[in-house]
Amino acid sequence: MSKNQINPTPESLSDNGLSRRSFLKLSAYLGAGAFIATQPLNAIAAAVVETHVGEITKWHNCWAHCHSSCLLKIVTENGQIKRIETDDQGNDEFGQHQVRACLRGRSLHKRTFSPDRLKYPMKRVGPRGEGKFKRISWDEALNEVHTQMSRIIERYGNDAIFSRVGYGKPNGPYHYVSRFLNLIGGYLPAAGNYSSHQIDTASTYTYGDKGYTMGSAPTEMAHSDLIVYFGNNPANTRMSGGSDTYHYQVSKAKSSARTIIIDPQYTDTACGREDEWLAIRPGTDALLVEALAWVLITENFVDEAFLKRHCYGYDAEPAMPEKGLQALDASLGYKAYILGHGADGIAKTPQYAAPICGIPTEQIYQLARALGQAKAPYIAQGWGPQRHAAGEQTARAIFMLPILLGQLGLPGTNNGGSDFLFHKTDIAKMPEGTNPVKAKVPCFKWSEAVTRGKEMTALTDGIVGAPRLTTDVKCVFMYQGNWLLNQHSDCNATAKMLKDESLLEFIFVMDNHMTASAKFADILLPDITWLENSRVVAFSTHVTKTEHVIDPMYECRHPYDVFADLAERFGVKAAFTEGRSWDDWQAHLYELSRKKHPEFPTFAELSEKGTVRLPFDPNAERYVFKQFRQDPETHPLATESGKIQIYSHKLAKFAQTWTLPEGDVISALPQYTPTWESYADTQTRAVYPLQLIGFKSKGRPHSTFANVPWLKEVIEDALMMNPVDAQKRQLAQGQIVHIYNDRGTIQVPVRITPRIMPGVVALAEGAWYQPNEQGVDVGGCINTITRLRPTALAKANPQGTNLVEVRAV
Ligand code: SF4
């Protein structure tokens, strides 16, 4: 074994280096709402260095779903991982700043050596879902996968295989999964995802492309005088030295922009850095926007010239001439709707909105006037507000604020989308080939495709790419992910469906750990983890070639080799590999990437150095819609009108032609839509009076890292509840409670805090579902009680819309 190849055992690991004590100290700093990684540096050393006598340090990355690709230095001694450090190179000036890892990246070895690692290929022996498996050989496992999938393809067709990769923990570029499936005849893919399906849909109908979900970069805040965040908490979601929180912090310090946070929770992003926190009832952001719009219109803050030239549907603006679209009848437009001259006849005044939103009338006026008077307002939304029962409407509504003000396409502004660009400098992807199956099922409706796939059509269920599904789904092929159960909704009902072998006939899972989803596999294969893998990663500030730090543990194998072996059984190995090993593909794809990015070093140089900084100019313009703003006729949008689409004829048509469940609304204009289990659902609220929302914990991106004891210890999984609500229920701090509704019961401690508004409770998502003998989820998975009812337009997950009650155990 070379000195760079290390083969530890879990038993031999110690908590040396970043000790538990210093980890706790660091965590306490975070818990107080402090931003991590605010100290800077620069320039990078060799890929492998001997730092102290006997210690070897290698560069690696954290590949977690926040996409920050933070740099890690893995320190080993005598073949054992001693500790994980992070970027400490260079002068750390912004633009050359260190990409320092957060707590999650720094506890990566704890995830790698977790006792629940999958060690061997396994076959289910007990009833599905009980988690009983027997060890089998790789040959037996892959033969069984081949047999089962061939049988299903023969009997039902490739459309009966549903597959998606869980984005939470991809083990490098995973395009080999769909490449393999496409080569064997295809599969039913998902349309959209669990993260941003509603806002992506809203962006498409408003701006013509889902790419505008992500707006101007946070560096633009350096040129702003007012930052308004709707439900956005990067201090939890993207909290490292390379992430947007750091960019936000530095940029805000430059401009001293006034900051207003609109959120039911007083988040760490606020935490002393905000000028104002407006606590809003979940699901009512769209109504707040309407009241703001009423003030902006009636007090002449709207930019009529911008609306006339760049927008369609505010009043009676014409479309771009080549679009052949008549100007809208003004009575159907947004202005008429807000002023009460539209079909509902209701003026959307602050007085009308305040009792529903929970924000006092005067504060709504003040916010509207602040927006109207701002020179460069930066208005952004996180993805929490759109993950509700009418989330598409909420996202479209928030887009309306910069549109009304004419404040987009200018320095310091944003389009109302999210405040981050992923900062990725893409490495070329392995070609996936063409999927012969043309239909796609909305991501959140994959489980319905199991129970009633043959009934699902474009008009009733939002099937994309084909008029209908031709078969029920009979096989789930899941490489890495916890969406099979944990990240889906109504876990109890979903588990019941998964257990029924007359529905799903075969479940394939390849993963790192025995997750809640992995327990339902028929064949369960052990994947290598990030520290056992090699990969090239490019980020806006650096490009890294990681080598595996430890050899694959137990019988874990690289997924590329596993899919190549499966491809061989299907007779398509040559087409799958094109004669390349995984390392060959990396070098090949990197060379393709260098053609697009000449700033990249050669592959040999990168391999030698491990990581190389890329030029990152913090003063570069990073705001969206510059060209469209300057010359919309030459740079039209890909919308129906070529302009910003406020009124959508397509959506008006959907409203007439789609079959919608009772209570679901699709509207041509962005408008507040009261829904089931919202504050407006007084009937359900009479039984379950509290609105439950989920949020992203500092301890895990989704369910990844949820099994790391260090993180569990420092970041508690507790229900946040306002003292007013706790007093009503006579609950004490830290008391164990049951959160429940008709769908199930979760058991967690309660954290009584004024950081959540009365009437609302909050629980971090991503904890692993773990029902006890009474059926109570003692794992604390919020999806045990979220509702499996898709949204009206995108057919997406509304996991923030829930009504519950809480009682002491
Ligand atoms: S989880 Fe933390 S360390 Fe990992 S990429 Fe995200 S911010 Fe960086």
Short mmCIF file of all heavy atoms in Angstrom, two decimals, residues 62-70 72 100-106 237-241 243 530 701 705, ligand 1:
data_model
loop_
_atom_site.label_atom_id
_atom_site.label_comp_id
_atom_site.label_asym_id
_atom_site.label_seq_id
_atom_site.Cartn_x
_atom_site.Cartn_y
_atom_site.Cartn_z
N CYS A 62 -15.86 18.80 0.47
CA CYS A 62 -17.17 18.34 0.94
C CYS A 62 -18.12 18.44 -0.25
O CYS A 62 -18.22 19.50 -0.87
CB CYS A 62 -17.65 19.20 2.09
SG CYS A 62 -19.29 18.72 2.66
N TRP A 63 -18.81 17.35 -0.54
CA TRP A 63 -19.69 17.33 -1.73
C TRP A 63 -21.16 17.43 -1.33
O TRP A 63 -22.03 16.95 -2.05
CB TRP A 63 -19.45 16.05 -2.53
CG TRP A 63 -18.04 15.89 -3.02
CD1 TRP A 63 -17.12 16.89 -3.18
CD2 TRP A 63 -17.38 14.69 -3.40
NE1 TRP A 63 -15.94 16.38 -3.66
CE2 TRP A 63 -16.06 15.02 -3.80
CE3 TRP A 63 -17.77 13.35 -3.47
CZ2 TRP A 63 -15.15 14.08 -4.24
CZ3 TRP A 63 -16.85 12.42 -3.92
CH2 TRP A 63 -15.55 12.78 -4.29
N ALA A 64 -21.43 18.03 -0.21
CA ALA A 64 -22.82 18.09 0.27
C ALA A 64 -23.67 18.96 -0.65
O ALA A 64 -23.16 19.73 -1.47
CB ALA A 64 -22.87 18.61 1.69
N HIS A 65 -24.96 18.86 -0.44
CA HIS A 65 -25.94 19.41 -1.35
C HIS A 65 -25.98 20.93 -1.38
O HIS A 65 -26.62 21.53 -2.23
CB HIS A 65 -27.31 18.85 -0.96
CG HIS A 65 -28.39 19.18 -1.92
ND1 HIS A 65 -28.23 19.05 -3.28
CD2 HIS A 65 -29.65 19.65 -1.74
CE1 HIS A 65 -29.35 19.41 -3.88
NE2 HIS A 65 -30.22 19.78 -2.98
N CYS A 66 -25.30 21.59 -0.45
CA CYS A 66 -25.33 23.06 -0.50
C CYS A 66 -24.43 23.56 -1.62
O CYS A 66 -24.43 24.75 -1.91
CB CYS A 66 -24.94 23.65 0.82
SG CYS A 66 -23.24 23.37 1.20
N HIS A 67 -23.68 22.67 -2.23
CA HIS A 67 -22.92 22.96 -3.45
C HIS A 67 -21.75 23.90 -3.25
O HIS A 67 -21.24 24.45 -4.21
CB HIS A 67 -23.81 23.54 -4.55
CG HIS A 67 -24.88 22.62 -5.01
ND1 HIS A 67 -24.63 21.51 -5.79
CD2 HIS A 67 -26.22 22.61 -4.79
CE1 HIS A 67 -25.76 20.88 -6.03
NE2 HIS A 67 -26.74 21.51 -5.42
N SER A 68 -21.32 24.11 -2.03
CA SER A 68 -20.22 25.05 -1.83
C SER A 68 -18.86 24.40 -2.06
O SER A 68 -17.85 25.10 -2.18
CB SER A 68 -20.28 25.63 -0.43
OG SER A 68 -21.50 26.30 -0.25
N SER A 69 -18.82 23.10 -2.10
CA SER A 69 -17.58 22.37 -2.40
C SER A 69 -16.42 22.82 -1.51
O SER A 69 -15.30 23.04 -1.98
CB SER A 69 -17.17 22.54 -3.86
OG SER A 69 -18.21 22.18 -4.70
N CYS A 70 -16.70 22.98 -0.24
CA CYS A 70 -15.69 23.52 0.67
C CYS A 70 -14.45 22.62 0.72
O CYS A 70 -14.54 21.41 0.65
CB CYS A 70 -16.27 23.65 2.07
SG CYS A 70 -17.62 24.81 2.12
N LEU A 72 -11.36 20.68 2.18
CA LEU A 72 -11.02 19.94 3.39
C LEU A 72 -9.58 19.47 3.30
O LEU A 72 -9.12 19.09 2.21
CB LEU A 72 -11.93 18.71 3.55
CG LEU A 72 -13.44 18.96 3.61
CD1 LEU A 72 -14.20 17.66 3.59
CD2 LEU A 72 -13.79 19.75 4.88
N ARG A 100 -13.73 27.87 3.58
CA ARG A 100 -13.62 27.09 4.82
C ARG A 100 -14.90 26.33 5.11
O ARG A 100 -16.00 26.86 4.99
CB ARG A 100 -13.29 28.05 5.97
CG ARG A 100 -11.91 28.66 5.77
CD ARG A 100 -11.64 29.79 6.70
NE ARG A 100 -11.65 29.36 8.09
CZ ARG A 100 -11.25 30.13 9.08
NH1 ARG A 100 -10.82 31.35 8.82
NH2 ARG A 100 -11.29 29.70 10.31
N ALA A 101 -14.71 25.09 5.47
CA ALA A 101 -15.85 24.18 5.65
C ALA A 101 -16.62 24.49 6.93
O ALA A 101 -16.06 24.97 7.91
CB ALA A 101 -15.35 22.75 5.70
N CYS A 102 -17.90 24.17 6.90
CA CYS A 102 -18.73 24.30 8.11
C CYS A 102 -18.62 23.02 8.93
O CYS A 102 -17.87 22.10 8.62
CB CYS A 102 -20.18 24.59 7.71
SG CYS A 102 -21.08 23.14 7.14
N LEU A 103 -19.42 22.95 9.97
CA LEU A 103 -19.38 21.81 10.90
C LEU A 103 -19.61 20.48 10.20
O LEU A 103 -19.07 19.46 10.60
CB LEU A 103 -20.48 21.95 11.95
CG LEU A 103 -20.43 23.15 12.87
CD1 LEU A 103 -21.58 23.06 13.85
CD2 LEU A 103 -19.11 23.22 13.57
N ARG A 104 -20.42 20.52 9.16
CA ARG A 104 -20.77 19.26 8.50
C ARG A 104 -19.55 18.71 7.79
O ARG A 104 -19.20 17.54 7.96
CB ARG A 104 -21.94 19.51 7.54
CG ARG A 104 -23.12 20.14 8.27
CD ARG A 104 -24.34 20.41 7.45
NE ARG A 104 -24.23 21.38 6.40
CZ ARG A 104 -25.10 22.37 6.18
NH1 ARG A 104 -26.12 22.53 6.99
NH2 ARG A 104 -24.97 23.20 5.17
N GLY A 105 -18.90 19.56 7.01
CA GLY A 105 -17.70 19.09 6.32
C GLY A 105 -16.64 18.64 7.29
O GLY A 105 -15.92 17.66 7.06
N ARG A 106 -16.53 19.33 8.41
CA ARG A 106 -15.46 19.01 9.36
C ARG A 106 -15.75 17.75 10.17
O ARG A 106 -14.90 17.29 10.92
CB ARG A 106 -15.22 20.20 10.28
CG ARG A 106 -14.70 21.40 9.52
CD ARG A 106 -14.20 22.47 10.45
NE ARG A 106 -14.23 23.78 9.80
CZ ARG A 106 -13.66 24.84 10.30
NH1 ARG A 106 -13.01 24.78 11.43
NH2 ARG A 106 -13.73 25.99 9.67
N THR A 237 -28.36 27.29 5.60
CA THR A 237 -28.29 26.42 4.43
C THR A 237 -26.94 26.48 3.74
O THR A 237 -26.47 25.48 3.21
CB THR A 237 -29.38 26.83 3.41
OG1 THR A 237 -29.27 28.22 3.17
CG2 THR A 237 -30.76 26.50 3.94
N ARG A 238 -26.32 27.65 3.70
CA ARG A 238 -25.05 27.79 2.97
C ARG A 238 -24.12 28.63 3.83
O ARG A 238 -23.91 29.80 3.57
CB ARG A 238 -25.31 28.42 1.60
CG ARG A 238 -26.31 27.64 0.77
CD ARG A 238 -26.52 28.19 -0.62
NE ARG A 238 -26.95 29.57 -0.64
CZ ARG A 238 -28.21 29.96 -0.41
NH1 ARG A 238 -29.14 29.09 -0.14
NH2 ARG A 238 -28.52 31.24 -0.46
N MET A 239 -23.54 27.99 4.82
CA MET A 239 -22.90 28.76 5.90
C MET A 239 -21.39 28.71 5.90
O MET A 239 -20.76 29.08 6.88
CB MET A 239 -23.43 28.28 7.24
CG MET A 239 -23.21 26.81 7.51
SD MET A 239 -23.98 26.36 9.07
CE MET A 239 -23.82 24.60 9.05
N SER A 240 -20.78 28.27 4.81
CA SER A 240 -19.32 28.13 4.85
C SER A 240 -18.61 29.37 4.33
O SER A 240 -19.24 30.34 3.92
CB SER A 240 -18.91 26.94 3.99
OG SER A 240 -18.91 27.34 2.64
N GLY A 241 -17.29 29.28 4.29
CA GLY A 241 -16.49 30.40 3.80
C GLY A 241 -16.63 30.63 2.32
O GLY A 241 -16.29 31.70 1.82
N SER A 243 -19.58 30.09 0.80
CA SER A 243 -21.01 30.15 0.51
C SER A 243 -21.53 31.57 0.52
O SER A 243 -20.84 32.52 0.88
CB SER A 243 -21.77 29.33 1.55
OG SER A 243 -21.46 27.98 1.40
N TRP A 530 -17.51 9.71 0.10
CA TRP A 530 -16.72 10.75 -0.56
C TRP A 530 -15.22 10.59 -0.30
O TRP A 530 -14.42 10.82 -1.17
CB TRP A 530 -17.17 12.14 -0.10
CG TRP A 530 -18.64 12.40 -0.27
CD1 TRP A 530 -19.50 11.73 -1.11
CD2 TRP A 530 -19.43 13.35 0.43
NE1 TRP A 530 -20.76 12.24 -0.99
CE2 TRP A 530 -20.76 13.22 -0.06
CE3 TRP A 530 -19.17 14.31 1.40
CZ2 TRP A 530 -21.81 14.02 0.41
CZ3 TRP A 530 -20.21 15.11 1.86
CH2 TRP A 530 -21.50 14.97 1.38
N PRO A 701 -27.59 18.94 5.56
CA PRO A 701 -28.31 19.34 4.37
C PRO A 701 -29.29 18.21 4.06
O PRO A 701 -28.88 17.11 3.72
CB PRO A 701 -27.22 19.46 3.30
CG PRO A 701 -26.02 18.76 3.84
CD PRO A 701 -26.26 18.39 5.28
N PHE A 705 -25.87 13.48 6.72
CA PHE A 705 -25.20 13.81 8.00
C PHE A 705 -26.14 13.62 9.20
O PHE A 705 -25.76 13.91 10.32
CB PHE A 705 -24.67 15.25 8.03
CG PHE A 705 -23.46 15.51 7.17
CD1 PHE A 705 -23.59 15.91 5.86
CD2 PHE A 705 -22.18 15.35 7.68
CE1 PHE A 705 -22.49 16.16 5.07
CE2 PHE A 705 -21.06 15.60 6.88
CZ PHE A 705 -21.22 16.00 5.57
S1 SF4 B 1 -22.05 21.14 4.12
FE1 SF4 B 1 -20.72 22.74 4.95
S2 SF4 B 1 -18.66 22.04 4.47
FE2 SF4 B 1 -20.05 20.86 3.17
S3 SF4 B 1 -20.13 22.02 1.24
FE3 SF4 B 1 -21.84 22.72 2.54
S4 SF4 B 1 -21.08 24.53 3.64
FE4 SF4 B 1 -19.29 23.39 2.81
#
